[in-house]
Amino acid sequence: MNMHQSLIAGVIFDLDGTLMSSELDFTLIKAQLGCPTELDLLSFIAQLPSPYMREEAMNIVHQHELIDAQHATLLPGVAQAIRQLKEQAIPMAIVTRNYNRAAALKLKNNPLPIQTVLTRSDAPAKPDPSALNAIATLWGIDQQHILYVGDYLYDIQAAHNANMRACLYAPSETPTYASQADYILKHFSELPELINQLSETQHQSLTSQSIV
């Protein structure tokens, strides 16, 4: 096992607000659908009383997501950090609450060397850990050696629900729930260094154990 594999052997990313910009106005979408502001939008739609209502509501959400996808751009430092991780041969994947067409459009307009992308069209939405667990199985990597990077509470919860470590990307203000994350990232350029530091710390601890 080489040094980089000793602790973080794979990284999974959120998409919106983490790798790419998003201008989705959830307050507006909730208002259009009559969803109370404190409720999760997808949970609200799921409990609507008829299939027709659920489909109509989801169509409205899809329209917003596709418009947002057309304007999305990579966030600062993302391309370089992903390239560094790729050079280190660290497996990478994306898990997003977005739906498949919107996510595909964002990645078509802003290509990244990440092949594995799971959306809410593929698995239950975060904080459900199903998509994260599926990727760990695909990679054959123990969950505790995978880092999940996202910008919201659901990302932290999904990571911990999957027994992975949670890295919160918080470039501006630090939210109250940041304390629940294992690591906090202020700028994307810090990510490769964080992974290297964790791997070196683990390597040193393994070395010291073998000496004893």
Side-chain angles (χ1 to χ4, degrees), residues 92-106:
M92 292 178 284
I94 293 170
V95 171
T96 173
R97 279 170 64 99
N98 224 314
Y99 95 118
N100 53 3
R101 281 184 59 202
L105 182 57
K106 288 192 171 189

Side-chain angles (χ1 to χ4, degrees), residues 7-212:
L7 198 58
I8 299 299
V11 184
I12 305 175
F13 297 98
D14 171 47
L15 185 63
D16 290 356
T18 301
L19 297 178
M20 297 193 194
S21 65
S22 176
E23 296 172 3
L24 279 176
D25 186 341
F26 287 103
T27 306
L28 172 63
I29 300 170
K30 286 180 177 182
Q32 285 182 333
L33 298 181
C35 172
T37 52
E38 71 279 3
L39 285 188
D40 173 62
L41 184 63
L42 297 179
S43 302
F44 170 79
I45 293 173
Q47 56 81 49
L48 287 172
S50 78
Y52 173 76
M53 290 174 75
R54 292 194 290 273
E55 185 179 349
E56 285 295 293
M58 205 48 97
N59 282 341
I60 291 172
V61 175
H62 287 168
Q63 288 169 13
H64 281 278
E65 287 178 316
L66 285 172
I67 291 168
D68 178 56
Q70 291 167 17
H71 305 292
T73 55
L74 288 176
L75 291 174
V78 167
Q80 184 181 5
I82 298 291
R83 189 164 60 247
Q84 285 180 254
L85 296 183
K86 178 87 173 167
E87 287 167 1
Q88 294 176 16
I90 293 176
M92 292 178 284
I94 293 170
V95 171
T96 173
R97 279 170 64 99
N98 224 314
Y99 95 118
N100 53 3
R101 281 184 59 202
L105 182 57
K106 288 192 171 189
L107 288 161
K108 181 186 173 198
N109 292 342
N110 305 277
L112 288 169
I114 300 177
Q115 305 305 318
T116 306
V117 181
L118 293 182
T119 71
R120 69 166 187 269
S121 311
D122 305 304
K126 297 173 293 188
D128 187 295
S130 300
L132 278 65
N133 289 332
I135 290 168
T137 303
L138 174 72
W139 287 344
I141 295 175
D142 192 306
Q143 265 97 327
Q144 65 179 345
H145 293 301
I146 298 176
L147 184 70
Y148 186 83
V149 183
D151 68 318
Y152 188 58
L153 175 62
Y154 292 154
D155 299 313
I156 300 172
Q157 293 171 336
H160 289 160
N161 288 342
N163 295 316
M164 296 179 184
R165 271 165 299 168
C167 178
L168 179 70
Y169 176 54
S172 46
E173 62 210 45
T174 306
T176 52
Y177 51 78
S179 58
Q180 298 178 42
D182 300 292
Y183 316 103
I184 297 173
L185 202 62
K186 299 304 287 183
H187 193 277
F188 234 87
S189 59
E190 300 165 3
L191 181 61
E193 182 59 30
L194 170 67
I195 291 171
N196 289 341
Q197 283 176 356
L198 292 172
S199 297
E200 291 198 20
T201 304
Q202 178 72 0
H203 183 69
Q204 287 163 4
S205 113
L206 290 171
T207 306
S208 61
Q209 287 169 13
S210 62
I211 292 170
V212 176

